[in-house]
Amino acid sequence: MNDSESIYVGRAAPDAALDHGWLLGHFKDPADPRHSADVEIKWGVHAKGDERAQWVRGEHRTALQVLISGRFRLEFPGRTVVLAEQGDYAVWSRGVDHSWYAEEDTVVLTVRWPSVPGYKVPGYKVPDTGSTL
């Protein structure tokens, strides 16, 4: 691979729309510089009222979620965290069950590691298209 093939320049919103929000991870073509078995990065755009279809249980990854805009509520067993100001973030470890709810139109950046092949939330409704994964 030459240097020009090792560089990808894009825009988060249009690129994310092509792959359910994901910008980087194991699911990208191995020849794509955005392919990674180590980390996943998502540009999450959520309309007010969007919520996770079901709780994530037995998570195998560590996650970092950063609020870009809006207001986003994270639910953990026995604890609720609200990301309300740009730059607010939360980190949770492997094994921490969680869910979320967009209290306003929201954009969040999510980083998860490692990138786990085959993981999908059954029945997750893609807000822009109405299709399900």
Short mmCIF file of all heavy atoms in Angstrom, two decimals, residues 62-121:
data_model
loop_
_atom_site.label_atom_id
_atom_site.label_comp_id
_atom_site.label_asym_id
_atom_site.label_seq_id
_atom_site.Cartn_x
_atom_site.Cartn_y
_atom_site.Cartn_z
N THR A 62 -14.57 -1.78 26.37
CA THR A 62 -14.56 -0.54 27.13
C THR A 62 -15.05 0.54 26.18
O THR A 62 -14.81 0.46 24.97
CB THR A 62 -13.13 -0.23 27.61
OG1 THR A 62 -12.70 -1.28 28.47
CG2 THR A 62 -13.06 1.09 28.37
N ALA A 63 -15.75 1.55 26.69
CA ALA A 63 -16.30 2.60 25.83
C ALA A 63 -16.06 3.98 26.42
O ALA A 63 -16.04 4.16 27.63
CB ALA A 63 -17.79 2.37 25.62
N LEU A 64 -15.93 4.94 25.51
CA LEU A 64 -15.85 6.36 25.82
C LEU A 64 -16.90 7.03 24.96
O LEU A 64 -16.96 6.79 23.75
CB LEU A 64 -14.47 6.91 25.46
CG LEU A 64 -14.35 8.43 25.28
CD1 LEU A 64 -14.46 9.14 26.62
CD2 LEU A 64 -13.04 8.78 24.59
N GLN A 65 -17.74 7.85 25.56
CA GLN A 65 -18.73 8.59 24.79
C GLN A 65 -18.61 10.07 25.12
O GLN A 65 -18.63 10.46 26.29
CB GLN A 65 -20.13 8.10 25.09
CG GLN A 65 -21.15 8.61 24.09
CD GLN A 65 -22.37 7.74 24.06
OE1 GLN A 65 -23.09 7.67 25.04
NE2 GLN A 65 -22.59 7.08 22.94
N VAL A 66 -18.45 10.90 24.06
CA VAL A 66 -18.24 12.34 24.20
C VAL A 66 -19.41 13.07 23.55
O VAL A 66 -19.76 12.79 22.39
CB VAL A 66 -16.93 12.78 23.52
CG1 VAL A 66 -16.71 14.29 23.71
CG2 VAL A 66 -15.74 11.99 24.03
N LEU A 67 -20.00 14.01 24.28
CA LEU A 67 -21.09 14.80 23.74
C LEU A 67 -20.53 15.91 22.83
O LEU A 67 -19.71 16.70 23.26
CB LEU A 67 -21.91 15.44 24.87
CG LEU A 67 -23.11 16.26 24.42
CD1 LEU A 67 -24.20 15.35 23.85
CD2 LEU A 67 -23.65 17.08 25.57
N ILE A 68 -21.02 15.92 21.59
CA ILE A 68 -20.65 16.98 20.65
C ILE A 68 -21.70 18.09 20.73
O ILE A 68 -21.38 19.27 20.83
CB ILE A 68 -20.56 16.43 19.20
CG1 ILE A 68 -19.59 15.25 19.12
CG2 ILE A 68 -20.19 17.55 18.22
CD1 ILE A 68 -18.16 15.54 19.53
N SER A 69 -22.98 17.70 20.70
CA SER A 69 -24.07 18.68 20.82
C SER A 69 -25.32 17.97 21.33
O SER A 69 -25.45 16.75 21.21
CB SER A 69 -24.36 19.36 19.48
OG SER A 69 -24.82 18.41 18.54
N GLY A 70 -26.23 18.74 21.93
CA GLY A 70 -27.49 18.18 22.42
C GLY A 70 -27.44 17.81 23.88
O GLY A 70 -26.69 18.40 24.67
N ARG A 71 -28.22 16.81 24.24
CA ARG A 71 -28.32 16.33 25.62
C ARG A 71 -28.61 14.84 25.55
O ARG A 71 -29.58 14.41 24.91
CB ARG A 71 -29.43 17.07 26.34
CG ARG A 71 -29.53 16.79 27.83
CD ARG A 71 -30.59 17.71 28.45
NE ARG A 71 -30.88 17.29 29.79
CZ ARG A 71 -30.28 17.76 30.88
NH1 ARG A 71 -29.35 18.70 30.76
NH2 ARG A 71 -30.61 17.33 32.08
N PHE A 72 -27.78 14.02 26.19
CA PHE A 72 -27.81 12.58 26.04
C PHE A 72 -27.75 11.91 27.40
O PHE A 72 -26.88 12.23 28.21
CB PHE A 72 -26.60 12.16 25.20
CG PHE A 72 -26.74 10.85 24.50
CD1 PHE A 72 -27.63 10.68 23.45
CD2 PHE A 72 -25.93 9.78 24.85
CE1 PHE A 72 -27.73 9.48 22.78
CE2 PHE A 72 -26.01 8.57 24.18
CZ PHE A 72 -26.91 8.42 23.14
N ARG A 73 -28.68 11.01 27.65
CA ARG A 73 -28.74 10.33 28.94
C ARG A 73 -28.23 8.90 28.79
O ARG A 73 -28.68 8.16 27.93
CB ARG A 73 -30.18 10.32 29.45
CG ARG A 73 -30.31 9.72 30.84
CD ARG A 73 -31.72 9.87 31.39
NE ARG A 73 -32.63 8.98 30.69
CZ ARG A 73 -33.85 9.31 30.28
NH1 ARG A 73 -34.31 10.53 30.45
NH2 ARG A 73 -34.60 8.43 29.67
N LEU A 74 -27.29 8.54 29.64
CA LEU A 74 -26.76 7.18 29.71
C LEU A 74 -27.32 6.52 30.96
O LEU A 74 -27.30 7.11 32.04
CB LEU A 74 -25.23 7.20 29.76
CG LEU A 74 -24.55 7.75 28.53
CD1 LEU A 74 -23.09 8.07 28.83
CD2 LEU A 74 -24.66 6.78 27.38
N GLU A 75 -27.82 5.31 30.78
CA GLU A 75 -28.37 4.55 31.90
C GLU A 75 -27.44 3.38 32.21
O GLU A 75 -27.06 2.63 31.31
CB GLU A 75 -29.76 4.01 31.56
CG GLU A 75 -30.79 5.08 31.23
CD GLU A 75 -31.26 5.85 32.46
OE1 GLU A 75 -31.01 5.40 33.60
OE2 GLU A 75 -31.90 6.91 32.26
N PHE A 76 -27.09 3.26 33.48
CA PHE A 76 -26.29 2.15 33.98
C PHE A 76 -27.05 1.54 35.16
O PHE A 76 -27.88 2.23 35.77
CB PHE A 76 -24.91 2.63 34.44
CG PHE A 76 -24.11 3.32 33.36
CD1 PHE A 76 -24.05 4.71 33.32
CD2 PHE A 76 -23.43 2.59 32.41
CE1 PHE A 76 -23.33 5.36 32.34
CE2 PHE A 76 -22.71 3.24 31.42
CZ PHE A 76 -22.65 4.62 31.38
N PRO A 77 -26.80 0.31 35.53
CA PRO A 77 -27.49 -0.25 36.69
C PRO A 77 -27.25 0.63 37.93
O PRO A 77 -26.11 0.88 38.31
CB PRO A 77 -26.85 -1.62 36.87
CG PRO A 77 -26.36 -1.98 35.49
CD PRO A 77 -25.92 -0.67 34.89
N GLY A 78 -28.31 1.19 38.46
CA GLY A 78 -28.21 2.00 39.67
C GLY A 78 -27.67 3.41 39.48
O GLY A 78 -27.43 4.12 40.46
N ARG A 79 -27.48 3.83 38.22
CA ARG A 79 -26.91 5.18 38.00
C ARG A 79 -27.35 5.73 36.64
O ARG A 79 -27.33 5.02 35.64
CB ARG A 79 -25.39 5.11 38.05
CG ARG A 79 -24.76 6.47 37.94
CD ARG A 79 -23.29 6.43 38.21
NE ARG A 79 -22.73 7.78 38.13
CZ ARG A 79 -21.44 8.03 38.13
NH1 ARG A 79 -20.58 7.05 38.23
NH2 ARG A 79 -21.02 9.26 38.05
N THR A 80 -27.69 7.00 36.63
CA THR A 80 -28.00 7.72 35.39
C THR A 80 -26.99 8.85 35.24
O THR A 80 -26.70 9.56 36.20
CB THR A 80 -29.43 8.30 35.44
OG1 THR A 80 -30.36 7.23 35.55
CG2 THR A 80 -29.74 9.13 34.21
N VAL A 81 -26.46 9.01 34.04
CA VAL A 81 -25.50 10.07 33.74
C VAL A 81 -26.07 10.87 32.58
O VAL A 81 -26.48 10.30 31.57
CB VAL A 81 -24.13 9.48 33.34
CG1 VAL A 81 -23.17 10.57 32.88
CG2 VAL A 81 -23.54 8.67 34.48
N VAL A 82 -26.10 12.20 32.71
CA VAL A 82 -26.58 13.06 31.64
C VAL A 82 -25.40 13.87 31.10
O VAL A 82 -24.73 14.58 31.85
CB VAL A 82 -27.71 14.00 32.12
CG1 VAL A 82 -28.12 14.95 30.99
CG2 VAL A 82 -28.90 13.19 32.61
N LEU A 83 -25.17 13.72 29.80
CA LEU A 83 -24.16 14.52 29.12
C LEU A 83 -24.90 15.75 28.61
O LEU A 83 -25.78 15.63 27.74
CB LEU A 83 -23.53 13.73 27.97
CG LEU A 83 -22.93 12.36 28.35
CD1 LEU A 83 -22.36 11.67 27.11
CD2 LEU A 83 -21.89 12.49 29.44
N ALA A 84 -24.60 16.93 29.16
CA ALA A 84 -25.41 18.12 28.89
C ALA A 84 -24.63 19.27 28.24
O ALA A 84 -25.24 20.11 27.59
CB ALA A 84 -26.04 18.61 30.18
N GLU A 85 -23.32 19.30 28.43
CA GLU A 85 -22.53 20.38 27.87
C GLU A 85 -21.50 19.81 26.91
O GLU A 85 -20.93 18.74 27.18
CB GLU A 85 -21.81 21.16 28.97
CG GLU A 85 -22.76 21.91 29.88
CD GLU A 85 -22.01 22.77 30.89
OE1 GLU A 85 -20.92 23.29 30.56
OE2 GLU A 85 -22.53 22.93 31.99
N GLN A 86 -21.26 20.51 25.80
CA GLN A 86 -20.30 20.04 24.81
C GLN A 86 -19.00 19.64 25.50
O GLN A 86 -18.48 20.38 26.34
CB GLN A 86 -20.02 21.13 23.78
CG GLN A 86 -19.13 20.66 22.65
CD GLN A 86 -18.92 21.74 21.61
OE1 GLN A 86 -18.50 22.86 21.94
NE2 GLN A 86 -19.24 21.44 20.38
N GLY A 87 -18.54 18.44 25.19
CA GLY A 87 -17.31 17.94 25.80
C GLY A 87 -17.53 17.05 27.01
O GLY A 87 -16.60 16.37 27.44
N ASP A 88 -18.75 17.04 27.57
CA ASP A 88 -19.04 16.09 28.65
C ASP A 88 -18.81 14.68 28.11
O ASP A 88 -19.12 14.39 26.95
CB ASP A 88 -20.49 16.20 29.13
CG ASP A 88 -20.77 17.42 29.98
OD1 ASP A 88 -19.82 18.16 30.31
OD2 ASP A 88 -21.95 17.63 30.31
N TYR A 89 -18.27 13.81 28.95
CA TYR A 89 -18.05 12.44 28.50
C TYR A 89 -18.17 11.45 29.64
O TYR A 89 -18.10 11.82 30.82
CB TYR A 89 -16.70 12.30 27.79
CG TYR A 89 -15.49 12.42 28.67
CD1 TYR A 89 -14.89 11.29 29.22
CD2 TYR A 89 -14.92 13.66 28.93
CE1 TYR A 89 -13.75 11.41 30.01
CE2 TYR A 89 -13.79 13.79 29.71
CZ TYR A 89 -13.21 12.65 30.25
OH TYR A 89 -12.09 12.76 31.04
N ALA A 90 -18.34 10.20 29.26
CA ALA A 90 -18.39 9.09 30.22
C ALA A 90 -17.56 7.95 29.65
O ALA A 90 -17.49 7.76 28.44
CB ALA A 90 -19.82 8.64 30.45
N VAL A 91 -16.93 7.22 30.54
CA VAL A 91 -16.17 6.02 30.18
C VAL A 91 -16.70 4.89 31.03
O VAL A 91 -16.90 5.06 32.24
CB VAL A 91 -14.66 6.21 30.47
CG1 VAL A 91 -13.89 4.93 30.17
CG2 VAL A 91 -14.09 7.38 29.70
N TRP A 92 -16.95 3.74 30.42
CA TRP A 92 -17.36 2.58 31.20
C TRP A 92 -16.58 1.35 30.74
O TRP A 92 -16.18 1.24 29.59
CB TRP A 92 -18.85 2.35 31.20
CG TRP A 92 -19.51 2.15 29.87
CD1 TRP A 92 -19.81 0.97 29.27
CD2 TRP A 92 -19.98 3.18 28.99
NE1 TRP A 92 -20.42 1.19 28.07
CE2 TRP A 92 -20.54 2.54 27.87
CE3 TRP A 92 -19.97 4.57 29.03
CZ2 TRP A 92 -21.09 3.25 26.81
CZ3 TRP A 92 -20.51 5.27 27.98
CH2 TRP A 92 -21.07 4.61 26.89
N SER A 93 -16.35 0.47 31.68
CA SER A 93 -15.49 -0.69 31.46
C SER A 93 -16.27 -1.87 30.91
O SER A 93 -17.50 -1.90 30.90
CB SER A 93 -14.85 -1.11 32.79
OG SER A 93 -14.07 -0.06 33.30
N ARG A 94 -15.51 -2.85 30.50
CA ARG A 94 -16.08 -4.12 30.04
C ARG A 94 -16.99 -4.67 31.13
O ARG A 94 -16.72 -4.52 32.32
CB ARG A 94 -14.97 -5.14 29.76
CG ARG A 94 -14.12 -4.74 28.61
CD ARG A 94 -12.96 -5.70 28.44
NE ARG A 94 -12.14 -5.22 27.33
CZ ARG A 94 -10.98 -5.70 27.02
NH1 ARG A 94 -10.46 -6.69 27.72
NH2 ARG A 94 -10.31 -5.21 26.01
N GLY A 95 -18.08 -5.27 30.69
CA GLY A 95 -18.99 -5.90 31.63
C GLY A 95 -20.04 -4.97 32.21
O GLY A 95 -20.91 -5.42 32.95
N VAL A 96 -20.00 -3.67 31.91
CA VAL A 96 -20.98 -2.73 32.45
C VAL A 96 -22.19 -2.66 31.52
O VAL A 96 -22.09 -2.25 30.37
CB VAL A 96 -20.37 -1.32 32.63
CG1 VAL A 96 -21.43 -0.33 33.09
CG2 VAL A 96 -19.21 -1.37 33.63
N ASP A 97 -23.34 -3.10 32.02
CA ASP A 97 -24.59 -3.02 31.26
C ASP A 97 -24.97 -1.56 31.09
O ASP A 97 -24.71 -0.73 31.97
CB ASP A 97 -25.71 -3.76 31.98
CG ASP A 97 -25.44 -5.25 32.14
OD1 ASP A 97 -24.56 -5.79 31.45
OD2 ASP A 97 -26.13 -5.88 32.97
N HIS A 98 -25.61 -1.23 29.95
CA HIS A 98 -25.97 0.16 29.73
C HIS A 98 -27.05 0.30 28.66
O HIS A 98 -27.31 -0.60 27.89
CB HIS A 98 -24.74 0.98 29.34
CG HIS A 98 -24.12 0.56 28.04
ND1 HIS A 98 -23.29 -0.52 27.95
CD2 HIS A 98 -24.24 1.06 26.79
CE1 HIS A 98 -22.90 -0.66 26.70
NE2 HIS A 98 -23.47 0.30 25.96
N SER A 99 -27.64 1.49 28.66
CA SER A 99 -28.60 1.89 27.64
C SER A 99 -28.48 3.40 27.50
O SER A 99 -27.71 4.04 28.23
CB SER A 99 -30.02 1.48 28.05
OG SER A 99 -30.90 1.64 26.95
N TRP A 100 -29.26 4.00 26.56
CA TRP A 100 -29.18 5.44 26.36
C TRP A 100 -30.49 5.99 25.83
O TRP A 100 -31.33 5.26 25.32
CB TRP A 100 -28.02 5.83 25.44
CG TRP A 100 -28.00 5.14 24.11
CD1 TRP A 100 -27.23 4.06 23.75
CD2 TRP A 100 -28.77 5.47 22.94
NE1 TRP A 100 -27.48 3.72 22.45
CE2 TRP A 100 -28.43 4.56 21.92
CE3 TRP A 100 -29.73 6.44 22.65
CZ2 TRP A 100 -28.98 4.60 20.65
CZ3 TRP A 100 -30.30 6.47 21.38
CH2 TRP A 100 -29.92 5.57 20.39
N TYR A 101 -30.62 7.33 25.96
CA TYR A 101 -31.80 8.04 25.49
C TYR A 101 -31.39 9.47 25.10
O TYR A 101 -30.69 10.14 25.86
CB TYR A 101 -32.85 8.11 26.61
CG TYR A 101 -34.10 8.86 26.23
CD1 TYR A 101 -35.11 8.24 25.49
CD2 TYR A 101 -34.27 10.18 26.61
CE1 TYR A 101 -36.26 8.94 25.14
CE2 TYR A 101 -35.42 10.89 26.26
CZ TYR A 101 -36.41 10.25 25.52
OH TYR A 101 -37.54 10.93 25.16
N ALA A 102 -31.80 9.90 23.91
CA ALA A 102 -31.49 11.26 23.45
C ALA A 102 -32.56 12.21 23.97
O ALA A 102 -33.70 12.17 23.52
CB ALA A 102 -31.42 11.31 21.93
N GLU A 103 -32.22 13.05 24.94
CA GLU A 103 -33.18 14.00 25.51
C GLU A 103 -33.43 15.19 24.58
O GLU A 103 -34.44 15.87 24.70
CB GLU A 103 -32.69 14.49 26.87
CG GLU A 103 -32.66 13.38 27.91
CD GLU A 103 -32.30 13.87 29.29
OE1 GLU A 103 -31.94 15.05 29.47
OE2 GLU A 103 -32.39 13.05 30.23
N GLU A 104 -32.50 15.45 23.67
CA GLU A 104 -32.61 16.49 22.64
C GLU A 104 -31.99 15.92 21.38
O GLU A 104 -31.36 14.86 21.42
CB GLU A 104 -31.81 17.75 23.03
CG GLU A 104 -32.27 18.44 24.28
CD GLU A 104 -31.37 19.63 24.66
OE1 GLU A 104 -30.35 19.88 23.95
OE2 GLU A 104 -31.69 20.28 25.66
N ASP A 105 -32.13 16.61 20.24
CA ASP A 105 -31.36 16.23 19.06
C ASP A 105 -29.90 16.25 19.49
O ASP A 105 -29.43 17.23 20.08
CB ASP A 105 -31.58 17.21 17.91
CG ASP A 105 -32.98 17.12 17.31
OD1 ASP A 105 -33.71 16.14 17.60
OD2 ASP A 105 -33.33 18.02 16.54
N THR A 106 -29.19 15.17 19.23
CA THR A 106 -27.87 14.98 19.83
C THR A 106 -26.88 14.40 18.84
O THR A 106 -27.24 13.59 17.99
CB THR A 106 -27.99 14.00 21.03
OG1 THR A 106 -28.87 14.56 22.00
CG2 THR A 106 -26.65 13.72 21.67
N VAL A 107 -25.62 14.80 18.99
CA VAL A 107 -24.50 14.17 18.31
C VAL A 107 -23.51 13.74 19.38
O VAL A 107 -23.12 14.54 20.23
CB VAL A 107 -23.82 15.13 17.30
CG1 VAL A 107 -22.61 14.44 16.65
CG2 VAL A 107 -24.81 15.60 16.24
N VAL A 108 -23.12 12.46 19.34
CA VAL A 108 -22.13 11.93 20.27
C VAL A 108 -21.05 11.18 19.48
O VAL A 108 -21.33 10.59 18.44
CB VAL A 108 -22.74 10.97 21.33
CG1 VAL A 108 -23.54 11.73 22.36
CG2 VAL A 108 -23.57 9.89 20.70
N LEU A 109 -19.85 11.22 19.98
CA LEU A 109 -18.75 10.46 19.43
C LEU A 109 -18.48 9.31 20.39
O LEU A 109 -18.26 9.54 21.59
CB LEU A 109 -17.49 11.33 19.29
CG LEU A 109 -16.27 10.61 18.72
CD1 LEU A 109 -16.47 10.35 17.23
CD2 LEU A 109 -15.03 11.44 18.95
N THR A 110 -18.54 8.09 19.88
CA THR A 110 -18.31 6.92 20.71
C THR A 110 -17.06 6.20 20.24
O THR A 110 -16.86 5.99 19.05
CB THR A 110 -19.50 5.94 20.62
OG1 THR A 110 -20.70 6.63 20.99
CG2 THR A 110 -19.31 4.74 21.53
N VAL A 111 -16.20 5.85 21.19
CA VAL A 111 -15.00 5.07 20.93
C VAL A 111 -15.11 3.81 21.78
O VAL A 111 -15.35 3.89 22.99
CB VAL A 111 -13.72 5.86 21.31
CG1 VAL A 111 -12.48 5.03 21.02
CG2 VAL A 111 -13.68 7.20 20.59
N ARG A 112 -15.00 2.64 21.12
CA ARG A 112 -15.06 1.36 21.85
C ARG A 112 -13.83 0.53 21.49
O ARG A 112 -13.38 0.55 20.35
CB ARG A 112 -16.30 0.56 21.45
CG ARG A 112 -17.60 1.22 21.76
CD ARG A 112 -18.78 0.32 21.55
NE ARG A 112 -18.85 -0.27 20.23
CZ ARG A 112 -19.95 -0.73 19.67
NH1 ARG A 112 -21.10 -0.68 20.33
NH2 ARG A 112 -19.94 -1.26 18.47
N TRP A 113 -13.36 -0.21 22.47
CA TRP A 113 -12.22 -1.08 22.21
C TRP A 113 -12.31 -2.32 23.08
O TRP A 113 -12.83 -2.24 24.19
CB TRP A 113 -10.91 -0.33 22.38
CG TRP A 113 -10.64 0.19 23.76
CD1 TRP A 113 -9.93 -0.43 24.74
CD2 TRP A 113 -11.10 1.43 24.32
NE1 TRP A 113 -9.90 0.34 25.88
CE2 TRP A 113 -10.62 1.49 25.65
CE3 TRP A 113 -11.89 2.49 23.86
CZ2 TRP A 113 -10.89 2.55 26.50
CZ3 TRP A 113 -12.14 3.55 24.71
CH2 TRP A 113 -11.64 3.58 26.00
N PRO A 114 -11.87 -3.47 22.55
CA PRO A 114 -11.44 -3.72 21.17
C PRO A 114 -12.64 -3.78 20.23
O PRO A 114 -13.79 -3.78 20.67
CB PRO A 114 -10.78 -5.09 21.27
CG PRO A 114 -11.53 -5.79 22.36
CD PRO A 114 -11.88 -4.70 23.35
N SER A 115 -12.37 -3.84 18.93
CA SER A 115 -13.42 -3.98 17.93
C SER A 115 -13.82 -5.45 17.88
O SER A 115 -12.99 -6.32 17.63
CB SER A 115 -12.91 -3.52 16.56
OG SER A 115 -13.95 -3.51 15.62
N VAL A 116 -15.09 -5.75 18.15
CA VAL A 116 -15.55 -7.14 18.27
C VAL A 116 -16.38 -7.52 17.05
O VAL A 116 -17.49 -7.01 16.88
CB VAL A 116 -16.39 -7.32 19.56
CG1 VAL A 116 -16.91 -8.75 19.66
CG2 VAL A 116 -15.56 -6.96 20.79
N PRO A 117 -15.87 -8.38 16.18
CA PRO A 117 -16.63 -8.80 15.00
C PRO A 117 -17.95 -9.46 15.37
O PRO A 117 -18.05 -10.17 16.37
CB PRO A 117 -15.70 -9.80 14.31
CG PRO A 117 -14.34 -9.46 14.79
CD PRO A 117 -14.53 -8.96 16.21
N GLY A 118 -18.97 -9.18 14.56
CA GLY A 118 -20.25 -9.86 14.69
C GLY A 118 -21.21 -9.25 15.67
O GLY A 118 -22.34 -9.72 15.80
N TYR A 119 -20.84 -8.20 16.39
CA TYR A 119 -21.73 -7.62 17.39
C TYR A 119 -22.74 -6.68 16.75
O TYR A 119 -22.36 -5.78 16.02
CB TYR A 119 -20.94 -6.87 18.47
CG TYR A 119 -21.85 -6.22 19.48
CD1 TYR A 119 -22.33 -6.94 20.56
CD2 TYR A 119 -22.28 -4.91 19.32
CE1 TYR A 119 -23.19 -6.37 21.47
CE2 TYR A 119 -23.14 -4.33 20.23
CZ TYR A 119 -23.58 -5.07 21.31
OH TYR A 119 -24.44 -4.49 22.20
N LYS A 120 -24.02 -6.91 16.99
CA LYS A 120 -25.10 -6.00 16.56
C LYS A 120 -26.21 -6.09 17.58
O LYS A 120 -26.45 -7.15 18.16
CB LYS A 120 -25.66 -6.40 15.19
CG LYS A 120 -24.76 -6.10 14.04
CD LYS A 120 -25.46 -6.40 12.73
CE LYS A 120 -24.54 -6.12 11.57
NZ LYS A 120 -25.13 -6.48 10.29
N VAL A 121 -26.91 -5.00 17.76
CA VAL A 121 -28.08 -5.01 18.64
C VAL A 121 -29.27 -5.46 17.80
O VAL A 121 -29.62 -4.80 16.83
CB VAL A 121 -28.36 -3.60 19.21
CG1 VAL A 121 -29.63 -3.60 20.02
CG2 VAL A 121 -27.19 -3.14 20.06
#
